[in-house]
Amino acid sequence: MKRKCLVLTICILLIGCDSGYEGEIEKVDPSTIEPLEITSEDIVDTHGDITNLERLNDFLSNIETHQSDQVRIISYTEEGAPVLKNISFSEDLFTFTHDTRRDGFGTQIVETFTCEGMIKDETQSSIRYSLDGCTGDEEMIMVLESHS
């Protein structure tokens, strides 16, 4: 009985550690990363305090008219490490890059996905921006959530 519980616990832990994403993965030596420079075009999410959100809405307006564009979202972990999310739109497809190389407690990889659409889902208390029709196991990837 103890053995079954141990096996079950290990399986649950392994499932919980899966990121769910299966895009193209690149493992990079963190010591080779250039210092992060935040620009006026960046959308910055510091534990729910989001600056420059209007840039993401401009991006959505541009994709509605099929104009190529790109945005960068910088989210900070609880420990203060930046995680970068780059979204580019060109020829009716989105390329999403999730860069965790600066997170010393994370996977320290760069994952790239191709997605077919972007959704802005508004409720009374929040706005969620997600990519859908993405490569890999996760067909939908949430990129940013803003609370009112």
Side-chain angles (χ1 to χ4, degrees), residues 13-147:
L13 287 173
L14 289 174
I15 291 168
C17 292
D18 183 15
S19 71
Y21 297 133
E22 280 197 18
E24 183 180 315
I25 299 174
E26 174 188 356
K27 182 77 172 168
V28 180
D29 179 2
S31 66
T32 63
I33 302 168
E34 296 177 17
L36 177 63
E37 291 187 34
I38 298 175
T39 71
S40 61
E41 290 290 307
D42 290 329
I43 301 152
V44 180
D45 178 7
T46 308
H47 311 287
D49 182 22
I50 301 172
T51 57
N52 205 19
L53 187 58
E54 60 276 0
R55 175 63 187 107
L56 189 54
N57 291 318
D58 291 344
F59 175 77
L60 289 172
S61 295
N62 288 337
I63 65 173
E64 285 179 6
T65 59
H66 302 281
Q67 294 178 0
S68 295
D69 199 357
Q70 62 184 13
V71 294
R72 180 168 75 168
I73 300 168
I74 302 170
S75 300
Y76 287 92
T77 65
E78 290 296 321
E79 297 81 20
V83 173
L84 281 58
K85 300 172 187 174
N86 292 294
I87 307 169
S88 63
F89 175 76
S90 180
E91 299 178 18
D92 293 331
L93 283 177
F94 296 85
T95 301
F96 174 69
T97 304
H98 188 237
D99 181 349
T100 62
R101 294 177 295 171
R102 292 172 176 85
D103 181 5
F105 295 101
T107 55
Q108 297 181 332
I109 59 174
V110 177
E111 297 174 287
T112 303
F113 306 90
T114 302
C115 303
E116 296 174 354
M118 188 163 188
I119 299 168
K120 178 181 178 182
D121 184 27
E122 295 184 59
T123 67
Q124 288 182 343
S125 60
S126 68
I127 302 172
R128 178 178 282 185
Y129 300 86
S130 303
L131 292 166
D132 70 341
C134 301
T135 55
D137 286 344
E138 289 293 319
E139 189 169 307
M140 185 171 283
I141 300 172
M142 201 273 292
V143 294
L144 185 69
E145 186 169 16
S146 170
H147 296 279

